[in-house]
Amino acid sequence: MHRIAAHRVGGDVPEFEQFVAERGHGWQRYARALTGNDVAAQDLVQSVLLKAYRQWRRITAMEFPDAYVRRMLTSTFLDGKRRRSDSEVLLAELPEPGPAAPDPAIRVTDRDSLRRALATLSDRQRAVVVLRYLEDLPDAEIAAELGCSEATVRSHAAQGRARFRDALLALDHDRTEESL
C-alpha cells in the first residue's frame, strides 16, 4: 500500500507496514464501497491509517486489530458524512462481478443502476448493507462496529434492502420507458 514514515510515534514500523500490506487491499475495497469512489476511499484509508499508526501499540494489544481498524474506517466515514455539505453526492462502486457479461454495455448499465440504487440509501443503511453483504459480518459484529443494537442493524438492513430494491425497479422502469 503506502510506505510509512520511519519515525517511531506509534510503534514498530515494519510490523505496522506488514499489517497494512496484508489487510490494506480489503480496507480499500471496503472504503470504496462506503464512499463510492477510489479517491475518497484512498483518503479515508490514509486518514485512518495515520490514526492507527499513532495508536499502534494499543491496537496490536487487541484481540482483533483488523476489526478495530475497520471500525475506525466506518466511524471516520460516518463522521465525515455528517460534516460534508449536502450538495456533495457520492455514488458507491461495487466490486467487480464474476464472469464478463456478453455485451459490455449491459455490464456498464447494470453497474450504473447498482451505484445509483446504492446512493439512495442513508449513510447508516449503506454501512449496514456493505458490512453485511460485502464484508459478510454477522449482525452482532455490525452492531458493535456501528455502536447500535442488533435490532437497529436488522431494521437498517431491511429498510436499506427495500429502498435499494425500489430504486432498482424505478431505474429499470425509467430505462424501459426511454427505450420505447
Side-chain angles (χ1 to χ4, degrees), residues 130-173:
V130 169
L131 286 168
R132 181 181 268 185
Y133 298 107
L134 182 65
E135 294 294 313
D136 200 29
L137 293 182
D139 290 348
E141 288 183 40
I142 296 170
E145 188 154 326
L146 296 179
C148 63
S149 70
E150 288 184 51
T152 300
V153 168
R154 288 189 293 273
S155 174
H156 283 311
Q159 292 168 358
R161 277 193 316 267
R163 184 182 279 182
F164 188 77
R165 181 183 58 246
D166 292 346
L168 283 175
L169 290 172
L171 289 167
D172 188 47
H173 181 290

Side-chain angles (χ1 to χ4, degrees), residues 70-80 82 145-146:
R70 190 179 54 243
R71 184 172 186 174
M72 290 174 70
L73 285 164
T74 304
S75 298
T76 303
F77 166 73
L78 292 173
D79 289 345
R82 285 185 209 115
E145 188 154 326
L146 296 179

Side-chain angles (χ1 to χ4, degrees), residues 22-34:
E22 290 170 1
R23 294 296 306 138
H25 179 71
W27 296 329
Q28 187 68 32
R29 187 182 86 170
Y30 175 62
R32 187 173 43 247
L34 285 177

Side-chain angles (χ1 to χ4, degrees), residues 17-85:
E17 288 180 344
Q18 180 180 350
F19 183 66
V20 171
E22 290 170 1
R23 294 296 306 138
H25 179 71
W27 296 329
Q28 187 68 32
R29 187 182 86 170
Y30 175 62
R32 187 173 43 247
L34 285 177
T35 62
N37 71 59
D38 287 326
V39 174
Q42 289 172 352
D43 289 346
L44 177 62
V45 171
Q46 287 305 306
S47 171
V48 166
L49 287 179
L50 180 60
K51 292 176 192 176
Y53 181 70
R54 290 178 180 151
Q55 302 173 30
W56 184 236
R57 286 189 185 112
R58 197 179 100 221
I59 291 172
T60 57
M62 296 177 180
E63 186 175 359
F64 300 107
D66 181 52
Y68 185 79
V69 173
R70 190 179 54 243
R71 184 172 186 174
M72 290 174 70
L73 285 164
T74 304
S75 298
T76 303
F77 166 73
L78 292 173
D79 289 345
K81 289 291 282 190
R82 285 185 209 115
R83 286 191 291 269
R84 262 198 297 275
S85 72

Side-chain angles (χ1 to χ4, degrees), residues 64-139:
F64 300 107
D66 181 52
Y68 185 79
V69 173
R70 190 179 54 243
R71 184 172 186 174
M72 290 174 70
L73 285 164
T74 304
S75 298
T76 303
F77 166 73
L78 292 173
D79 289 345
K81 289 291 282 190
R82 285 185 209 115
R83 286 191 291 269
R84 262 198 297 275
S85 72
D86 290 1
S87 64
E88 186 175 0
V89 177
L90 297 178
L91 301 176
E93 186 172 323
L94 299 176
E96 292 294 322
D103 181 359
I106 292 172
R107 182 173 172 219
V108 169
T109 304
D110 288 347
R111 285 179 61 95
D112 181 61
S113 294
L114 292 173
R115 283 187 199 122
R116 288 175 185 234
L118 195 56
T120 66
L121 304 181
S122 72
D123 295 340
R124 290 232 173 231
Q125 288 170 346
R126 182 187 290 202
V128 167
V129 167
V130 169
L131 286 168
R132 181 181 268 185
Y133 298 107
L134 182 65
E135 294 294 313
D136 200 29
L137 293 182
D139 290 348

